[in-house]
Amino acid sequence: MATAIITGSARGIGAAIALRLAKDGYDIALNDIAESCFDNNDITDKIKALGVKCGIYIADVSNHDACADMVKKVKADFSSIDVLVNNAGITRDGLLARMSEENFDLVISVNQKSVFNMTKHAGAVMMKQRSGRIINLSSVAGVYGNAGQMNYSASKAAIIGMTKTTAKELGSRGITCNAVAPGFIETPMTAQLSDEMKTAILSQIALKRYGQVEEIAGVVSFLASPDASYVTGQVIEISGGLSM
Ligand code: NAP
């Protein structure tokens, strides 16, 4: 049985990706930053009900050593790591003039350094296997920029560069690496936006609605599937036509 590890998967897009990959037949390694993220949360039960294995691995993905330990445990428990989804991410929005250095560094550390940490350690396992799929969560903010998100857009743009570098470095070992760039998806992260901002965003979306987490999970499922075996180093925007 193949195994997928999805960072930040207690809720939101990560949980939807975990559920979808479980439906696709993968054993699932869930990750989040604290045990409490899984309190009052039925994601493990839903995954196990699909007849696949599921484990929870608590780690702060911005911490290099914690990622090394987590990858080691997942490999020991499941014997292979076939798909890595670098999903964990945070926002600490604010206009540049008011953004603190602390909030800049924190977002870069959680969103960007985590991709280095996890790709390095899980990538080493995949290189030995001579196969693997790595899928990174970028954002339209990383492609086009977004006022109030200097830190977030920097991290998401960096992920695009890291995706292409990973594709080039690991391609000869049969490993693909792609990114998805969601637009505005209904999750706890976007629930924090003001009503004014939500209305402004909606007016720019061709499909005139926000995306659903399942619509991100479907594209990730494709990128992990045999149908995407010759797709690597690409960024797929999933934004309902936000930018055309
Ligand atoms: P979310 O609902 O906030 O979920 C993110 C998950 O990551 C949370 O469970 C969070 O735990 C966890 N996490 C945060 N820091 C972590 C760390 N250091 N180590 C491990 N886990 C950590 O966010 P989402 O909307 O599903 O977004 C998922 C990904 O998609 C993110 O990378 C985001 O940037 C990207 N994205 C989202 C949208 C959107 O519209 N929602 C658009 C474009 C891109 P806590 O609950 O403790 O914070």
Side-chain angles (χ1 to χ4, degrees), residues 26-47:
Y26 288 94
D27 286 333
I28 301 293
L30 296 168
N31 153 263
D32 221 292
I33 192 166
E35 289 284 357
S36 58
C37 299
F38 292 92
D39 289 350
N40 308 314
N41 178 325
D42 58 358
I43 182 71
T44 350
D45 293 340
K46 280 184 178 164
I47 288 171

Side-chain angles (χ1 to χ4, degrees), residues 57-202:
Y57 299 83
I58 299 304
D60 174 353
V61 287
S62 68
N63 181 312
H64 194 73
D65 293 345
C67 289
D69 284 350
M70 173 165 64
V71 166
K72 213 168 161 184
K73 281 184 198 142
V74 173
K75 171 81 169 71
D77 291 351
F78 292 89
S79 83
S80 70
I81 299 179
D82 304 281
V83 177
L84 163 66
V85 184
N86 283 310
N87 167 81
I90 59 168
T91 52
R92 291 293 184 275
D93 295 350
L95 292 173
L96 179 57
R98 273 187 248 130
M99 184 175 287
S100 66
E101 183 184 3
E102 190 190 10
N103 277 345
F104 184 84
D105 290 345
L106 178 65
V107 169
I108 296 294
S109 177
V110 174
N111 295 7
Q112 179 183 336
K113 189 177 173 215
S114 62
V115 175
F116 166 74
N117 293 340
M118 288 302 295
T119 304
K120 184 174 165 77
H121 298 303
V125 174
M126 290 176 178
M127 281 199 278
K128 280 197 192 130
Q129 292 169 180
R130 297 200 152 265
S131 68
R133 298 291 171 91
I134 301 171
I135 299 143
N136 294 328
L137 270 286
S138 179
S139 165
V140 289
V143 182
Y144 306 105
N146 198 22
Q149 292 196 313
M150 178 68 95
N151 47 6
Y152 184 79
S153 62
S155 71
K156 294 299 177 177
I159 286 173
I160 293 174
M162 294 165 88
T163 298
K164 293 181 185 199
T165 297
T166 305
K168 287 183 177 181
E169 281 197 24
L170 305 191
S172 63
R173 306 292 181 100
I175 299 164
T176 68
C177 182
N178 293 286
V180 293
F184 291 88
I185 310 302
E186 272 183 34
T187 68
M189 184 180 271
T190 46
Q192 299 168 21
L193 296 170
S194 68
D195 285 346
E196 200 183 0
M197 205 184 251
K198 283 182 187 162
T199 310
I201 289 163
L202 210 50

Side-chain angles (χ1 to χ4, degrees), residues 4 6 9 12-28 30 43 46-48 50 52 83 85 135 212-227:
I6 304 103
S9 45
I13 292 172
I17 291 171
L19 197 56
R20 175 59 196 259
L21 293 179
K23 281 183 187 154
D24 293 343
Y26 288 94
D27 286 333
I28 301 293
L30 296 168
I43 182 71
K46 280 184 178 164
I47 288 171
K48 285 183 180 162
L50 293 163
V52 299
V83 177
V85 184
I135 299 143
Q212 300 300 313
V213 290
E214 293 77 15
E215 293 175 303
I216 307 303
V219 179
V220 171
S221 162
F222 162 71
L223 289 170
S225 78
D227 285 340

